[in-house]
Amino acid sequence: MRSTIYFLLFIISLTGVLVSCDKIDTIVEHPKGNAPDLGVNSVNLAPAVGDSNKPVLILNWTDPKYATDSSQVKFVIEIDSAGRNFSKASTKTVTKALSTSFTGRELNTILLNYGYTTGKAVKLDVRVKSSYANNNEVYNSNVVQVSVTPYSDPSKLTSEKTSVTGTAATSTSHSNTFTWSTAFPGYNGVITYVLEYDSTGKNFANPKQIAGYGGASVYTASLTQGDMNTTALASGIAVGATGKVDYRVKATTAGGAIAYSSPVSVSVTTFSPCSSNLYIVGDATLGGWTNPVPVPSQRFTKVDSYKFSINLWLNGGKSYLFLPVNGDWGQKYGGVGANNSNNTAGDDFKSQGSDLKAPPTDGVYQIVVDFQTNKFTVTPIPVPANLYIVGDATPGGWTNPVPVPSQQFTKLDNVTFGIVVNLNADKSYLFLPVNGDWNQKFGFNGSNNANNVNGDALKAGGGDMKAPSTSGLYLIIVNFATSSWTVTPYAGPSNLFIVGDATPGGWTNPVPTPSQQFTQSSTGIFQLTLPLSADKSFLFLPVNGDWNQKFGGTGANNTNNVMGDNIKANGSDLKAPATSGTYTLTVNFMNMTYKVQ
C-alpha cells in the first residue's frame, strides 16, 4: 500500500515538471513603437518683446506606442537652422507629455546664439526624437519647417539724476550715473554696450556716442560734469542755457543683432567748456616736453566759442598733449584710452587724458580741437621740397620756368622758405613748387589781387597776389605751417664783416680784408671760412670800421649756441665754439640766423 502511494506521488511530481518545462519554452514579444507625428501651432512666427514670456511656438506629437505608458517615454525636441540636418541643434527634453512650447525669448535666444540679427525672418527645422528612458528604440518624427523673425530685446536704462549742471572749474567732478540691465537675456555671446545721446524730440535722428564709456559686458557709466556738458553742447544747447538731452543704450551682439533701450531724458544747464587759450606740448613738437612751450609757434588760434586750430610741424610717431594754461601741468587734455592708443588722424579727448600719438610721418599738420564734441582732427599740410616765384611783379615776368637762382626761394627750416627779390609796384605774382609747372601753384586764399600786400593767407591753387605799391627790394617769407606769407622791405646789408677776439684780427676795427669779409652767396645770405679761437667772442658788422651798426646775439653776452643761433641788430657778443679751428660761418638775414660748421 505504501509503495502504491509513493508511486502515485512520483507520477504527480513528474507531471508537474513536464508542465513547467513547456511554459519556459514560451517567449512573449512586446510590440514595437512608431515614429511620433509632429505638428505646430504656426509655421510663421514674428514675436515681439511683449511676447518674451509668452508661448509662441506650440508643439504637439502623437504617442509613439511603446510597450509602456507614454509617461515613461523620453522626448527630445531638436531645433536647428534649416538645411543643417540638425548638426548644431538646440534641444529640449520632455517627459510625461505629448506637447511643449517655446516662449518668444527662448526662440529669440536660439536664433541669436546662431548669430542671426533682428528683423529678418529665419527658417528653422524642428523635429521630435522619442526613445525609452534608457535611450533605446529611438524614433525621429517628421521635420516641420518654421519661419521665425528675431526681435530686439533691449536693456532697461535708468539715470541717477533728472537734471544736472556744472562749471569749467569742476568739469572733472562726478555729475550723473547711468545704469542698464542685460540686453537679449539668455544670449550666450558677448554683448557690447554704448551710451548714445541726442537732443530731446529728435528721436535719435543723429545719435552721438559718449567716448570712453560702455564696452563689452559693461552695465554702468559714471559721467563727469564735463561729459554731461559735452552731450548738451553737441545737442545744440547754447552755453549758459538749459535744455533736455535724451540718452539710450545701444546693445550689439557678436553676431551684429542690435537693441536700443527706451530713452531717458536729463535736463542739462551748460557752461563754456574751454579757456581763452590752448597750447600743444610734447616730443612730437619742436619745443619738446619743455613747459612753458614756445609761443606763438605752439599756441592755438581760437576759431570760435568751442574750436581751436593750429598748423605746426609734428615729429612722426611721437607724443603730445593740449594745455589750456601754458606752463601748468595740472591742467591738460589728452586721449580717452591708454597712452598713444588714439587714432593719429583724430579722435576723442578728455580732461586729464593720456598722451596722444602723432601721425607716423614727419610733416606739417593742421590740428583742430573742438570742445563742443570733445574731438580733435589732425590733417596733413603738404610742404614742397622747393619754391619759386613767378609773375609780372618779378624780374622774370610770367615766363615759366623762372630764372634760377634769382627767383628760387631758400628753405630756411622744415616749413619756411625765404627770398629777397625786386618787386614791381602793384603787379602780380604766384609761388610755384615745381619750376616750369603751372599745374601746381600757391596763391592767395581769396580772389585775384585782393590780398594784403604785406602778406596774407595762402592756399594751394589760390589767386594771384598783388605786390606792394612801391617798387623795391623785398624779403618774402612763406610759412607752410601757418599757410601764410609776409612781404617786408629788405633791410639787410650789402656787405658783411666779422670782428672780435675769436678772429685773427681781434677787436681792431676796421677788420682786415678780404680775410674777414663775407661773400654774399645770394641776396641776404653771406658766407665766410676763417680760423676761430676757442671760447672767444665776435660780432658781425655791415660796415667795416663802424661800431654803430652791428649784429649779435638775442640774449646776454656769450650765452648763444656756439654752433649757430638767432641774431638781431645791436645784439650781444657771440661766443665761438669750444675748440679752436677753421670754421665756415653762414649768416642768413632772411630768418636772422647764423650757423657755424
Side-chain angles (χ1 to χ4, degrees):
M1 181 67 179
R2 183 178 297 174
S3 298
T4 303
I5 292 172
Y6 288 156
F7 178 76
L8 290 173
L9 290 173
F10 171 76
I11 295 299
I12 291 170
S13 299
L14 181 61
T15 302
V17 170
L18 292 175
V19 171
S20 296
C21 288
D22 288 343
K23 287 183 178 179
I24 290 174
D25 290 339
T26 301
I27 298 176
V28 179
E29 293 189 8
H30 301 298
K32 289 188 175 182
N34 302 302
D37 185 26
L38 175 64
V40 299
N41 62 317
S42 176
V43 294
N44 290 292
L45 301 171
V49 67
D51 301 316
S52 294
N53 298 315
K54 298 177 183 178
V56 295
L57 177 62
I58 300 173
L59 309 179
N60 294 279
W61 54 91
T62 59
D63 185 353
K65 301 296 184 181
Y66 288 104
T68 184
D69 187 83
S70 61
S71 64
Q72 304 302 314
V73 178
K74 180 171 70 173
F75 300 98
V76 178
I77 294 84
E78 296 183 322
I79 299 178
D80 201 354
S81 296
R84 284 207 301 224
N85 198 27
F86 299 96
S87 59
K88 297 181 179 179
S90 296
T91 62
K92 178 179 182 180
T93 300
V94 176
T95 59
K96 301 181 181 180
L98 296 175
S99 67
T100 192
S101 63
F102 288 82
T103 64
R105 182 163 287 155
E106 286 175 324
L107 282 179
N108 214 44
T109 298
I110 291 171
L111 293 170
L112 294 174
N113 286 335
Y114 283 149
Y116 295 115
T117 58
T118 58
K120 186 177 181 180
V122 178
K123 292 188 180 299
L124 298 176
D125 286 343
V126 184
R127 72 181 180 186
V128 175
K129 181 180 290 186
S130 65
S131 70
Y132 283 104
N134 62 1
N135 295 320
N136 283 340
E137 203 169 328
V138 177
Y139 295 108
N140 292 325
S141 75
N142 56 306
V143 176
V144 176
Q145 193 171 89
V146 179
S147 175
V148 184
T149 302
Y151 63 89
S152 173
D153 198 354
S155 305
K156 291 183 179 179
L157 176 66
T158 59
S159 173
E160 173 192 0
K161 299 174 183 177
T162 58
S163 64
V164 298
T165 188
T167 67
T170 57
S171 61
T172 59
S173 300
H174 172 73
S175 177
N176 191 34
T177 298
F178 294 94
T179 57
W180 54 90
S181 61
T182 302
F184 301 111
Y187 172 69
N188 293 332
V190 174
I191 301 176
T192 301
Y193 299 92
V194 176
L195 193 61
E196 295 187 334
Y197 65 93
D198 199 0
S199 179
T200 296
K202 296 291 183 63
N203 198 29
F204 290 91
N206 182 31
K208 293 167 280 290
Q209 295 181 356
I210 304 177
Y213 295 102
S217 304
V218 175
Y219 304 101
T220 185
S222 181
L223 275 62
T224 65
Q225 293 178 12
D227 295 327
M228 294 297 292
N229 194 57
T230 296
T231 65
L233 293 174
S235 297
I237 302 172
V239 171
T242 300
K244 288 189 175 182
V245 181
D246 284 344
Y247 302 86
R248 71 181 182 186
V249 170
K250 176 184 178 182
T252 307
T253 67
I258 295 175
Y260 297 99
S261 72
S262 296
V264 297
S265 182
V266 179
S267 179
V268 184
T269 302
T270 63
F271 57 87
S272 179
C274 55
S275 64
S276 57
N277 290 299
L278 192 67
Y279 305 85
I280 185 171
V281 67
D283 55 7
T285 71
L286 297 179
W289 285 108
T290 301
N291 189 13
V293 305
V295 292
S297 60
Q298 290 181 215
R299 181 174 60 203
F300 283 79
T301 298
K302 195 166 188 178
V303 179
D304 57 32
S305 299
Y306 310 114
K307 289 182 183 177
F308 291 85
S309 177
I310 191 172
N311 293 359
L312 82 165
W313 178 270
L314 290 179
N315 298 315
K318 301 295 184 179
S319 303
Y320 61 96
L321 289 167
F322 305 132
L323 301 176
V325 179
N326 196 11
D328 185 356
W329 285 113
Q331 302 183 58
K332 65 177 182 177
Y333 295 98
V336 298
N339 283 338
N340 300 309
S341 62
N342 57 287
N343 181 336
T344 59
D347 214 326
D348 300 289
F349 71 91
K350 69 176 182 178
S351 178
Q352 304 300 320
S354 58
D355 291 355
L356 297 166
K357 190 174 184 179
T361 304
D362 290 356
V364 177
Y365 293 86
Q366 180 186 51
I367 303 177
V368 176
V369 181
D370 189 338
F371 282 89
Q372 186 177 33
T373 61
N374 280 6
K375 293 181 181 293
F376 69 96
T377 59
V378 183
T379 306
I381 298 175
V383 178
N386 293 291
L387 198 65
Y388 307 84
I389 187 171
V390 67
D392 55 6
T394 71
W398 285 108
T399 301
N400 189 13
V402 304
V404 291
S406 61
Q407 289 183 216
Q408 180 175 3
F409 283 79
T410 298
K411 194 167 188 178
L412 304 178
D413 56 35
N414 290 328
V415 298
T416 310
F417 292 82
I419 192 172
V420 176
V421 64
N422 274 299
L423 292 179
N424 298 317
D426 296 326
K427 299 296 183 179
S428 302
Y429 61 95
L430 289 168
F431 304 136
L432 302 176
V434 179
N435 198 9
D437 186 355
W438 285 113
N439 293 320
Q440 303 182 60
K441 65 176 183 177
F442 290 94
F444 173 51
N445 186 17
S447 56
N448 286 338
N449 299 310
N451 59 286
N452 182 334
V453 296
N454 297 317
D456 218 319
L458 187 73
K459 76 170 184 178
D464 293 353
M465 298 174 287
K466 190 176 183 180
S469 57
T470 302
S471 297
L473 197 62
Y474 289 88
L475 169 64
I476 303 176
I477 302 293
V478 181
N479 189 326
F480 284 92
T482 59
S483 295
S484 65
W485 87 99
T486 60
V487 182
T488 56
Y490 178 64
S494 56
N495 289 293
L496 195 66
F497 306 85
I498 188 170
V499 67
D501 56 4
T503 71
W507 285 108
T508 302
N509 189 11
V511 303
T513 59
S515 60
Q516 289 183 215
Q517 181 176 3
F518 283 79
T519 298
Q520 189 168 200
S521 57
S522 62
T523 304
I525 299 178
F526 296 83
Q527 198 167 71
L528 173 65
T529 300
L530 83 166
L532 292 177
S533 299
D535 296 327
K536 300 295 184 178
S537 302
F538 61 93
L539 289 168
F540 303 124
L541 301 176
V543 179
N544 197 8
D546 185 356
W547 284 111
N548 294 319
Q549 301 182 60
K550 65 178 181 177
F551 291 93
T554 58
N557 284 337
N558 299 309
T559 58
N560 57 288
N561 182 335
V562 297
M563 301 312 294
D565 214 327
N566 295 308
I567 58 171
K568 70 175 183 177
N570 297 308
S572 58
D573 291 354
L574 297 166
K575 189 176 183 180
T579 303
S580 297
T582 299
Y583 294 90
T584 297
L585 282 74
T586 302
V587 183
N588 189 332
F589 284 93
M590 286 187 284
N591 62 358
M592 298 299 287
T593 63
Y594 79 98
K595 291 191 299 184
V596 180
Q597 296 172 300

